Amino acid sequence: MKILLVEPAFPIPPKSKNHKNFLPIGLLKLHDYYKSKGLKTKLVRGNKSKSEIGTRFKPDQIMITSLFTYWSQYVWDSVKFYRDNYPTALITIGGIYASLMGDQPDFKRKLRKYNARVFFGIHKGAEKYANNHILDYSMLSNPSPIDYQIIHTTRGCPRNCEFCGTWKIEPKFESKRSIRDEIIKRKIVFYDNNLLKSQYIEDILNELITLKQEKKILWCESQSGFDGRVLEEKSYLGKMLKKAGFLYPRIAWDWGYVQFKEIKEQIDILCEGGYNFKDIYIFMLYNWDIPFDEMERKRIKCWEWGVQIADCRYRPLDQISDKYNPRKEQTNEDYHIHTEAGWTDALVKQFRKNVRRQNICVRHSFIFYSKDFERKRTKDEIMSALKHKKTKEAKIKYLKQINADYWIPDVITYPEQV
Ligand code: SF4
């Protein structure tokens, strides 16, 4: 029995292929699991011809993964490609998009068309195998070697946020007691949906702290944000995260401006733990139920606090395409614009732009943003004159006098103002 595992040709730039956010960890688990059962397995990325796969490797089964629903077309392109190349193989589609939409009429129609089947949720056998074995990352060493490893300490999430698909794909929340024996690399990336909710979070962090002290690990990162409500309940976790080597902690501010006191409390817990304000990110969902003006007020609060924003444009869970283009005027035909809450294409793009410019200011401790500065087009005499202006007001007055291109993050900025 031969199994081919396929990551579709997702639009991930080659330099980001092995980026810690895009590693096809599910396929890797399946690969090693089936191999351990004595089956012949191959993992490929993209649509590979028979000669690239090897003419002697004729798969009996092809397992194709999927990711965001709006990348659905890449999945079907792969299904078609491999069905054409291997007409008799059993084709199975799994992963996020398949789990969320595999029971929808259009999905089912395509399954019939390509004589394929769907797999929902997590593959228990592969998951169990991965919990007890070290995965062979060399399988994915192309285009660049992987010097980090992915760990799950939990599956699922006990919260049921309406915009999130996690609890639909992984309905059962499960926590591991220990991960120490799984650590084989010095850089650890956690793919947990809600790491802090683990019932063993203190044990896990203590293990990491020891490994860090023993110099067996260098740093950790959590792909998802930290649950701020857990931080509030257990403020000692702020220090533990820092000691365990977690970089760039992120917390979510999904709801209205009124939450700002809680969010500040959560930021303070991280700062008391040893983090700098500018290393902390606040996840913000925009183009969603919170209108533009309120999002801008939230953005300005982050500016006052000196923290960065990780902005995330809302797409409905059943959105199967997304042609967003930041350089073009677009409509709801191209991508989801949340008009229900007053969002327009211009407001969506403006908010993204404001966040980007503000983050640059936070990172570099600038009081204003300038495109000319960013592109290093500003004359030396202007830079020197600005340096000599001591206060923010004096600098801005000078910029106005010379009619410079600049933007200050302190105010709500609408599209027509730029
Ligand atoms: S807390 Fe995060 S992972 Fe959990 S349901 Fe909400 S958005 Fe999803």
Side-chain angles (χ1 to χ4, degrees):
M1 172 95 157
K2 290 179 181 147
I3 301 184
L4 183 68
L5 298 142
V6 178
E7 179 191 52
F10 294 132
I12 304 169
K15 70 175 171 46
S16 302
K17 255 300 195 229
N18 276 349
H19 186 276
K20 54 192 183 324
N21 288 347
F22 291 113
L23 205 76
I25 190 72
L27 288 185
L28 189 58
K29 289 178 181 177
L30 284 168
H31 176 274
D32 289 8
Y33 166 70
Y34 285 122
K35 204 170 153 200
S36 75
K37 294 205 161 301
L39 307 182
K40 290 208 162 49
T41 51
K42 242 184 199 180
L43 198 165
V44 293
R45 306 180 86 174
N47 298 333
K48 299 285 185 246
S49 65
K50 283 183 177 174
S51 59
E52 285 171 297
I53 288 169
T55 40
R56 291 172 64 188
F57 190 91
K58 197 165 167 273
D60 303 289
Q61 196 179 155
I62 302 174
M63 303 180 99
I64 300 176
T65 192
S66 64
L67 211 52
F68 314 120
T69 52
Y70 49 84
W71 280 358
S72 64
Q73 193 49 50
Y74 302 96
V75 176
W76 293 113
D77 289 348
S78 274
V79 174
K80 178 175 186 326
F81 179 86
Y82 286 103
R83 173 51 74 226
D84 289 347
N85 278 351
Y86 300 103
T88 58
L90 178 66
I91 294 186
T92 308
I93 312 166
I96 296 175
Y97 159 58
S99 297
L100 286 174
M101 301 200 61
D103 58 355
Q104 298 299 305
D106 185 56
F107 199 108
K108 285 183 172 167
R109 185 183 57 76
K110 286 180 178 142
L111 285 179
R112 282 194 295 276
K113 178 175 171 190
Y114 296 115
N115 187 21
R117 62 181 194 172
V118 63
F119 182 88
F120 293 94
I122 292 177
H123 190 290
K124 288 202 176 73
E127 195 60 23
K128 196 167 166 204
Y129 176 85
N131 285 341
N132 298 301
H133 296 84
I134 304 289
L135 296 178
D136 181 6
Y137 282 78
S138 66
M139 272 302 96
L140 296 169
S141 62
N142 224 340
S144 52
I146 294 168
D147 63 350
Y148 61 89
Q149 78 178 100
I150 309 283
I151 298 266
H152 277 108
T153 74
T154 59
R155 297 310 307 232
C157 173
R159 306 222 190 263
N160 287 357
C161 304
E162 63 183 270
F163 46 77
C164 177
T166 294
W167 49 279
K168 293 177 193 158
I169 302 168
E170 302 171 19
K172 199 160 167 228
F173 186 61
E174 291 171 332
S175 316
K176 273 185 215 167
R177 197 180 276 275
S178 168
I179 52 164
R180 199 187 157 96
D181 295 342
E182 289 180 49
I183 309 288
I184 48 161
K185 295 193 188 258
R186 297 187 72 213
K187 301 174 183 172
I188 318 291
V189 181
F190 289 89
Y191 268 18
D192 295 57
N193 301 297
N194 195 336
L195 178 69
L196 298 191
K197 266 285 189 190
S198 160
Q199 89 184 88
Y200 304 111
I201 186 60
E202 289 86 355
D203 300 321
I204 299 285
L205 289 177
N206 274 326
E207 285 187 343
L208 292 169
I209 291 168
T210 306
L211 288 165
K212 182 93 173 53
Q213 283 162 351
E214 291 169 352
K215 298 199 181 336
K216 291 193 175 136
I217 59 168
L218 208 52
W219 53 253
C220 304
E221 217 176 293
S222 168
Q223 198 196 38
S224 301
F226 293 127
D227 191 324
R229 283 171 284 181
V230 180
L231 270 182
E232 283 180 51
E233 287 156 22
K234 303 178 176 183
S235 57
Y236 55 86
L237 291 180
K239 259 194 195 98
M240 292 184 83
L241 288 168
K242 179 71 184 168
K243 275 184 156 174
F246 275 86
L247 302 176
Y248 308 113
R250 289 173 286 186
I251 45 184
W253 185 358
D254 291 327
W255 304 98
Y257 178 81
V258 297
Q259 271 193 309
F260 76 90
K261 282 194 187 133
E262 284 164 54
I263 303 297
K264 180 64 171 45
E265 204 178 307
Q266 295 163 14
I267 293 172
D268 286 344
I269 290 168
L270 290 171
C271 288
E272 278 155 26
Y275 289 100
N276 294 319
F277 281 96
K278 66 167 74 168
D279 294 330
I280 298 171
Y281 283 79
I282 306 296
F283 264 126
M284 272 194 207
L285 191 61
Y286 69 108
N287 184 37
W288 185 60
D289 285 356
I290 312 289
F292 175 82
D293 276 48
E294 194 170 348
M295 289 305 296
E296 278 288 273
R297 290 171 63 215
K298 287 170 62 173
R299 173 184 66 74
I300 294 167
K301 259 288 170 235
C302 290
W303 169 241
E304 287 167 21
W305 295 330
V307 296
Q308 300 200 57
I309 297 173
D311 55 318
C312 175
R313 178 166 52 85
Y314 171 71
R315 292 108 160 159
L317 285 177
D318 59 356
Q319 188 81 20
I320 53 166
S321 79
D322 185 273
K323 299 196 180 80
Y324 177 81
N325 182 336
R327 280 169 215 91
K328 265 170 71 178
E329 266 185 44
Q330 294 180 291
T331 70
N332 235 325
E333 301 274 298
D334 302 303
Y335 73 101
H336 174 80
I337 302 172
H338 207 61
T339 48
E340 298 93 312
W343 287 89
T344 63
D345 176 49
L347 291 174
V348 168
K349 285 169 180 157
Q350 189 64 46
F351 185 73
R352 167 85 271 276
K353 191 171 170 181
N354 294 349
V355 167
R356 179 182 171 273
R357 296 185 298 185
Q358 175 165 308
N359 280 346
I360 292 174
C361 290
V362 172
R363 276 199 298 279
H364 301 286
S365 307
F366 295 158
I367 55 167
F368 61 87
Y369 166 86
S370 162
K371 203 190 270 178
D372 287 345
F373 275 33
E374 192 185 359
R375 295 188 182 162
K376 299 192 171 48
R377 288 189 308 219
T378 311
K379 290 186 185 129
D380 290 348
E381 58 264 33
I382 296 179
M383 295 300 278
S384 150
L386 272 168
K387 229 184 220 168
H388 287 95
K389 309 279 174 211
K390 293 287 172 241
T391 64
K392 178 179 165 185
E393 290 70 26
K395 285 182 203 284
I396 290 177
K397 193 171 162 202
Y398 173 72
L399 288 168
K400 271 190 190 146
Q401 269 169 9
I402 63 165
N403 214 8
D405 137 76
Y406 73 97
W407 174 78
I408 48 169
D410 315 46
V411 289
I412 295 184
T413 307
Y414 297 100
E416 59 276 17
Q417 286 176 278
V418 179

